Amino acid sequence: MKLTSYLIFNGQAEEAANFYADVLGGKIENLYRYDSMPAESGMPEIPDDFKQKVMHCCIIFPGGSMSAADTLPSDSRNFGNGGHMLTLACDSIAQTEEIYAKLCVGAQKIQCELSEAFFAKRYGEVLDRFGILWALMYEEA
């Protein structure tokens, strides 16, 4: 069994996917745009200015993957009031500090400064520029 995060954006999925691929040292695979979706009865009409938005993409990085898409304008979404968090277990203090620094660029809020905690050598929380809350942790084995 494997759990994967799927983040839904309101038109920023491609920008977010590129950002996360860079932050996590990964790459984007299987990027499909709405204009590639075959027309089927019962499906909502795709506005012309939305046809190049991301219908689905996968971000592959060392140790995992996540997916992202843009929702149609008629179904706007938000990430709620802090009821979610992506937790990233890093491999070293240096990696934790590097990823934390990248996520902090343009961040909406630093929830918890990266520092040593009673349960980890490094722990921090960042609400990134897309409204995604990340927890970064390094636990020495």
Side-chain angles (χ1 to χ4, degrees):
M1 186 179 325
K2 180 180 175 184
L3 178 66
T4 301
S5 297
Y6 203 116
L7 303 175
I8 307 296
F9 295 91
N10 296 311
Q12 307 89 4
E14 187 166 7
E15 181 184 356
N18 283 313
F19 178 69
Y20 298 139
D22 178 60
V23 166
L24 300 171
K27 63 182 179 176
I28 297 172
E29 292 187 349
N30 303 321
L31 191 144
Y32 299 99
R33 298 187 187 281
Y34 278 98
D35 70 350
S36 67
M37 185 170 69
E40 294 182 18
S41 64
M43 294 297 292
E45 186 174 330
I46 310 299
D48 286 338
D49 63 342
F50 210 78
K51 290 184 178 180
Q52 289 302 305
K53 296 296 182 183
V54 176
M55 184 182 76
H56 168 80
C57 75
C58 188
I59 305 138
I60 308 293
F61 52 90
S65 68
M66 61 195 291
S67 296
D70 286 310
T71 189
L72 292 173
S74 60
D75 185 27
S76 67
R77 309 270 177 106
N78 66 57
F79 293 106
N81 190 18
H84 73 283
M85 180 165 54
L86 298 179
T87 302
L88 189 61
C90 297
D91 296 328
S92 67
I93 289 174
Q95 182 184 55
T96 310
E97 291 172 347
E98 177 184 350
I99 293 172
Y100 177 84
K102 288 179 179 180
L103 287 171
C104 285
V105 175
Q108 293 180 17
K109 185 176 183 183
I110 307 303
Q111 297 279 90
C112 176
E113 291 284 341
L114 187 67
S115 63
E116 190 166 341
F118 72 92
F119 55 87
K121 289 292 180 183
R122 290 292 181 277
Y123 181 81
E125 295 177 11
V126 179
L127 185 64
D128 75 17
R129 64 185 183 197
F130 299 103
I132 304 298
L133 181 58
W134 291 82
L136 285 85
M137 181 182 315
Y138 171 66
E139 298 175 282
E140 205 165 57

